[in-house]
Amino acid sequence: MDPVDHDSGASGRDPAGSDAHGHAENSRDERHAPAFIRLRAVIAAAHFHGLELDVRDFAAEPGEASPSPATLCRWLNEQGAVAKGMRLKWRYLIKMTNSPPIVLLFRDGSAALMINASADQGIVWLRDPLRGEGDLPVPVDELRLSQIWTGDALLIKRRRDQSEADAPINASWLAKMVLREKKSLRDIAIASMTLSILQIFPPLIVMQVIDRVVNNRSMATLVSITAIVLVLSFYEVLLSYGRRELTLVLTTRIDTRLSLHLFSRLLALPLEYFERQQAGNVIGRVMAIYKVRDFMTGKLMSTFLDMFTLVVILPFLFYLSSTLAWMTVAAAGLIGLLVVVFMGPIARIYQHVVRSEMERSSVMYETVAGIRTIKTLALEPSRKQEWDEKTADVVRWKLAAGRMSNWPSTLSMPLEMFINRGIILVGAYLILTNASNVGVGALVAFMMLGGRVASPLVGLAKLLDDMNEVRTSLGEAGSVLNQPTETKALTTGMRPRIKGALSFVDVNFTYPGSTGKALDDVNFEVPAGTMLGLVGRSGSGKSTITRLLQGVSRSYSGYLKLDGVDLREINLTHLRRSFGVVLQDNFLFRGTIRENITAGRPGLTIDDVVRAARLAGAEEFIERMPAGYETWIEEGSTNISGGQRQRLAIARAVICDPKLLILDEATSALDPESEALVNANLERIGEGRTMVIVSHRLSSLVNCDQILVMDRGRVMDIGPHEVLLERCAIYRTLWMQQNRHTAGKQGADRTGPAPLIAEGD
């Protein structure tokens, strides 16, 4: 979505505070006013940080021809950003390279976005806030900038104290989620510290057994030591069980909170995002967050718990023998150094592993989703070939990652052997040469504790290696979950009582990535209760109008009003619940017919279901089914026909009694008999509500109150069927194409010859 096209010109008041409820000419002038340009620059800079601002929320200070830095900062801080206005000198400005967009305020009241600078070349790159992000920036030197720049700049960033629901998903966000379980973490830490202390005693006991019991042959000492061992073992078992239980509860709570949050964030993403992305890719990237979860609650937590052991045992090792202790620490440190050295190359290879696995998952998802097409067209060989190629990529990169990881493991093995086996040989040598006062018992105790010290140090080093996988997985999940959401639109805004009056004033809309306008200065108005038909050639903008009405796309300019209220000011949830929508290809969930019809209103009764089914013409085929309204619909609706699925979708749309019903090619999948049945019910369905019907079959729109004729994104005419036949050439041509087999010679002579293919089709 282009940040500078979002809501442009759709304002109830002028950015400088004046009334903007005037004509379209005033609206166009406002878009080029300096005050408006300054606001667009601020909005574009905020968009860079993931903040979607609405120009209509801005209230200017009295007497300000253009918003001042202080006024802009106040507005941005109210909208959830952190803004700071400052006066900068040129020598400081050109040093701000690779920084987020900075708003530079100009003397005429407008502004521009500085997106980069070069101190070597002595220039800054500026972008026009009214243009898209893809436009090339303009290089400006000090002399040219000084002629228009006031010296004031506005720095914007996202507020740090965001709620968990809106904050970007990164390592800090996950850490905060884990740290919320302070009580469990505290209990686990206490248990770990106690266990670390208890682990000192078994080696001490062994040392005493060797030095006193065996050498002195003391049975009484053996009995005493045995009793101590039994007591300590009991407490160690009890504490180990308690720590595992606490850790299990902690990971379960984090997993639950994470799952709930991720699904909510996924549902909050706009429909436009899902339309541009491959479903398998989205799922694969979102699921990557669970690798991060496993790391944080698994390896990361166990390593830090083992660090308690290190803190407690390491001083005791130095007490037993500082020489052997330094040798142990040095060997573990060398292992950690090897891991760090190989961390970079392994990370680069692992990125290829993750991408190749996601591409393979996408092939699997696409194959399962399109299995009907694959089977009917015998596409199994081509799909298998693609799967084989993706699998080969995965295997090749995994093999490369495994071979690279094998090197640090191989090189560190001698060091690990030295810790486990070499230390005792060095200790024995020190005893034999009297170079140390370490006894035999102390040497055995050191060996028992030395392995426990080396293990956390080696684990800490290998933890850095695992960070590569975690960083990549977190980045993949963030690329989906950190997209701008509809959360604000779904939770805030007006909730007016919907009647159904529609008004389009100078509405323009361009799809992301497209160069041409899907809607070009669309203007029309219909009162509540109107049955409105939309006709036109393919690509004329019919379905785009219905998308804007549903709030799927809000980045249009102009005014789209529902009952006199701009659609963008209405709470999105309230808006969509007030609408009924039936598409050309409707999705039914696995479940009974009754559950599908009441999907939007689960509390409705069977009487409401029957009434909606009768209105949609679905009652007759439902009653013929053995289980009636309790008939189970399989995944993909494979056990019912396309026409039956379409009528159930219509019943689902009308059961909540929407004040505005949109039928977008809703009868295209119906057979002639079913279509005639639905068309006969349209007047009853449309009673007391506004209906917007998109159809290529003009015969189904003859009884509409008004028919809107679209062509290449523009409104060509609007009126009843008979009127349009007389005065609209496009409508007359479309009508003659569809009815030329029934048109008489007299009608053909009266209207003139109609071409078989309309111009532009």
Side-chain angles (χ1 to χ4, degrees):
M1 179 172 59
D2 189 330
V4 297
D5 286 339
H6 181 68
D7 294 344
S8 62
S11 174
R13 57 178 177 266
D14 173 87
S18 61
D19 185 19
H21 286 290
H23 301 290
E25 292 85 352
N26 295 334
S27 214
R28 280 190 288 270
D29 291 338
E30 288 169 7
R31 294 173 203 167
H32 298 285
F36 185 83
I37 295 173
R38 181 169 286 191
L39 280 177
R40 297 308 304 175
V42 170
I43 291 172
H47 177 82
F48 178 86
H49 298 282
L51 291 166
E52 296 295 335
L53 304 183
D54 194 331
V55 69
R56 297 167 301 155
D57 295 333
F58 178 77
E61 293 292 335
E64 283 188 353
S66 189
S68 65
T71 303
L72 292 172
C73 288
R74 171 188 56 79
W75 179 52
L76 287 165
N77 290 328
E78 289 174 354
Q79 298 298 315
V82 177
K84 184 177 182 181
M86 59 175 59
R87 187 170 289 272
L88 292 173
K89 294 184 182 293
W90 171 261
R91 63 176 180 270
Y92 299 119
L93 186 67
I94 59 173
K95 293 179 180 178
M96 304 178 76
T97 59
N98 298 321
S99 62
I102 299 171
V103 181
L104 301 184
L105 307 182
F106 293 162
R107 290 193 177 95
D108 65 350
S110 64
L113 287 167
M114 191 192 92
I115 61 173
N116 207 343
S118 173
D120 296 334
Q121 301 178 39
I123 58 173
V124 295
W125 279 271
L126 303 183
R127 180 161 64 85
D128 185 350
L130 296 184
R131 296 186 177 273
E133 292 179 349
D135 285 12
L136 293 175
V138 178
V140 179
D141 58 21
E142 180 180 6
L143 179 62
R144 292 174 60 192
L145 186 64
S146 63
Q147 295 172 359
I148 57 175
W149 182 38
T150 63
D152 292 325
L154 200 64
L155 306 180
I156 302 171
K157 67 177 182 179
R158 196 179 184 100
R159 184 175 295 165
R160 294 294 182 185
D161 58 346
Q162 298 164 359
S163 65
E164 187 179 88
D166 300 322
I169 292 179
N170 49 32
S172 174
W173 179 85
L174 282 168
K176 288 179 181 177
M177 179 175 285
V178 174
L179 292 175
R180 284 179 60 181
E181 304 293 334
K182 293 180 181 178
K183 185 177 179 181
S184 297
L185 290 172
R186 181 201 63 196
D187 294 342
I188 292 172
I190 293 173
S192 299
M193 182 63 75
T194 307
L195 282 171
S196 299
I197 295 173
L198 289 177
Q199 287 176 3
I200 297 177
F201 289 96
L204 284 176
I205 292 171
V206 170
M207 185 172 66
Q208 295 300 320
V209 168
I210 294 174
D211 292 342
R212 298 192 178 185
V213 174
V214 176
N215 292 339
N216 299 329
R217 308 184 65 84
S218 173
M219 184 61 70
T221 305
L222 179 61
V223 172
S224 301
I225 290 176
T226 302
I228 295 173
V229 168
L230 291 175
V231 172
L232 292 177
S233 299
F234 172 77
Y235 280 109
E236 188 172 355
V237 170
L238 191 63
L239 281 170
S240 298
Y241 169 79
R243 188 174 75 167
R244 285 193 296 270
E245 181 69 20
L246 289 170
T247 305
L248 181 62
V249 171
L250 175 65
T251 54
T252 304
R253 288 170 62 91
I254 293 173
D255 184 54
T256 303
R257 186 179 291 113
L258 187 64
S259 298
L260 295 174
H261 177 80
L262 293 185
F263 196 71
S264 298
R265 182 74 73 96
L266 197 64
L267 289 178
L269 294 176
L271 179 60
E272 285 181 313
Y273 175 77
F274 292 102
E275 291 174 340
R276 297 194 303 267
Q277 301 293 326
Q278 193 176 9
N281 242 331
V282 172
I283 295 173
R285 288 177 174 175
V286 171
M287 297 306 290
I289 196 73
Y290 287 102
K291 291 184 179 178
V292 185
R293 185 278 318 271
D294 292 338
F295 169 76
M296 295 192 72
T297 58
K299 292 182 180 179
L300 184 65
M301 182 173 292
S302 62
T303 301
F304 275 100
L305 292 178
D306 288 340
M307 293 304 291
F308 287 115
T309 304
L310 184 65
V311 171
V312 173
I313 295 178
L314 197 58
F316 186 70
L317 287 182
F318 276 94
Y319 166 75
L320 291 175
S321 173
S322 59
T323 304
L324 297 179
W326 279 117
M327 288 181 180
T328 303
V329 172
L334 288 174
I335 294 174
L337 182 62
L338 282 172
V339 173
V340 172
V341 168
F342 281 90
M343 191 166 62
I346 293 174
R348 287 189 289 272
I349 295 177
Y350 190 77
Q351 288 178 352
H352 292 287
V353 173
V354 172
R355 291 195 187 99
S356 60
E357 285 183 333
M358 287 185 178
E359 289 176 2
R360 185 173 66 170
S361 299
S362 297
V363 174
M364 173 69 78
Y365 176 86
E366 194 175 50
T367 301
V368 173
I371 193 64
R372 180 180 297 179
T373 303
I374 292 171
K375 290 291 185 182
T376 53
L377 298 180
L379 299 178
E380 292 94 338
S382 62
R383 300 305 297 177
K384 186 177 184 302
Q385 181 180 354
E386 186 171 1
W387 174 262
D388 292 346
E389 291 173 356
K390 299 300 182 184
T391 301
D393 286 340
V394 172
V395 171
R396 183 169 63 252
W397 286 113
K398 279 192 171 181
L399 184 61
R403 284 173 174 168
M404 183 61 71
S405 300
N406 194 24
W407 277 106
S409 299
T410 303
L411 294 175
S412 63
M413 189 174 293
L415 296 170
E416 292 181 6
M417 290 180 177
F418 174 74
I419 293 174
N420 295 326
R421 308 169 189 175
I423 291 293
I424 194 170
L425 300 178
V426 175
Y429 172 77
L430 294 176
I431 293 174
L432 292 175
T433 58
N434 296 320
S436 173
N437 57 357
V438 179
V440 176
L443 180 59
V444 174
F446 189 97
M447 285 304 307
M448 294 178 66
L449 291 175
R452 296 188 179 185
V453 169
S455 179
L457 290 174
V458 174
L460 188 61
K462 290 183 177 179
L463 198 66
L464 298 175
D465 187 33
D466 295 327
M467 288 295 292
N468 294 321
E469 179 180 353
V470 171
R471 193 183 300 112
T472 304
S473 300
L474 193 58
E476 295 293 342
S479 66
V480 175
L481 299 171
N482 290 336
Q483 294 290 326
T485 66
E486 295 178 324
T487 302
K488 184 177 180 181
L490 291 167
T491 56
T492 62
M494 301 172 61
R495 300 174 184 264
R497 187 172 181 178
I498 306 295
K499 297 179 181 178
L502 298 176
S503 175
F504 280 65
V505 181
D506 293 334
V507 174
N508 291 272
F509 177 75
T510 303
Y511 284 102
S514 176
T515 55
K517 290 183 178 180
L519 295 180
D520 188 2
D521 283 333
V522 172
N523 290 273
F524 70 89
E525 185 175 353
V526 293
T530 301
M531 186 183 293
L532 175 68
L534 292 179
V535 300
R537 305 180 180 106
S538 296
S540 59
K542 305 184 299 297
S543 294
T544 303
I545 287 179
T546 64
R547 286 169 62 88
L548 297 190
L549 287 174
Q550 298 168 57
V552 173
S553 302
R554 291 193 161 196
S555 56
Y556 58 87
S557 63
Y559 301 92
L560 198 173
K561 295 182 179 181
L562 179 61
D563 299 322
V565 181
D566 193 287
L567 211 67
R568 287 169 293 204
E569 295 181 3
I570 301 175
N571 177 272
L572 200 53
T573 302
H574 174 72
L575 177 72
R576 290 173 177 170
R577 287 181 176 173
S578 302
F579 280 22
V581 181
V582 184
L583 304 175
Q584 182 176 359
D585 186 19
N586 293 280
F587 181 83
L588 297 182
F589 298 95
R590 289 186 77 247
T592 64
I593 288 178
R594 176 178 178 176
E595 290 170 346
N596 270 278
I597 294 178
T598 60
R601 297 288 189 276
L604 295 180
T605 64
I606 187 63
D607 293 334
D608 298 315
V609 175
V610 172
R611 192 179 304 111
R614 185 178 298 127
L615 203 59
E619 184 183 30
E620 53 89 14
F621 80 80
I622 294 175
E623 291 183 343
R624 290 202 308 267
M625 292 182 169
Y629 288 90
E630 299 303 319
T631 300
W632 187 266
I633 297 177
E634 299 294 343
E635 184 176 355
S637 312
T638 54
N639 57 332
I640 60 175
S641 69
Q644 291 172 338
R645 180 172 69 245
Q646 204 75 349
R647 281 182 277 175
L648 289 179
I650 295 174
R652 181 172 61 187
V654 301
I655 193 171
C656 55
D657 191 27
K659 293 304 177 186
L660 199 153
L661 183 62
I662 298 173
L663 303 178
D664 193 349
E665 298 289 354
T667 59
S668 62
L670 301 180
D671 56 82
E673 181 181 355
S674 301
E675 184 183 10
L677 183 62
V678 172
N679 287 336
N681 290 339
L682 280 182
E683 289 191 17
R684 282 197 302 153
I685 293 174
E687 189 174 338
R689 60 172 61 93
T690 301
M691 291 187 66
V692 178
I693 307 172
V694 179
S695 179
H696 282 96
R697 300 177 185 175
L698 272 59
S699 58
S700 62
L701 304 176
V702 170
N703 295 325
C704 287
D705 302 318
Q706 298 285 321
I707 300 176
L708 182 70
V709 183
M710 299 288 297
D711 188 54
R712 299 179 183 177
R714 289 180 172 272
V715 174
M716 305 311 295
D717 205 344
I718 183 171
H721 168 72
E722 296 295 337
V723 174
L724 292 177
L725 275 179
E726 293 292 334
R727 74 184 187 197
C728 183
I730 293 178
Y731 184 82
R732 185 167 58 249
T733 301
L734 293 173
W735 177 264
M736 293 301 296
Q737 286 178 354
Q738 296 182 18
N739 297 276
R740 59 179 178 267
H741 59 285
T742 59
K745 177 110 175 36
Q746 181 180 357
D749 293 339
R750 177 171 58 83
T751 59
L756 293 179
I757 299 178
E759 182 182 353
D761 237 11

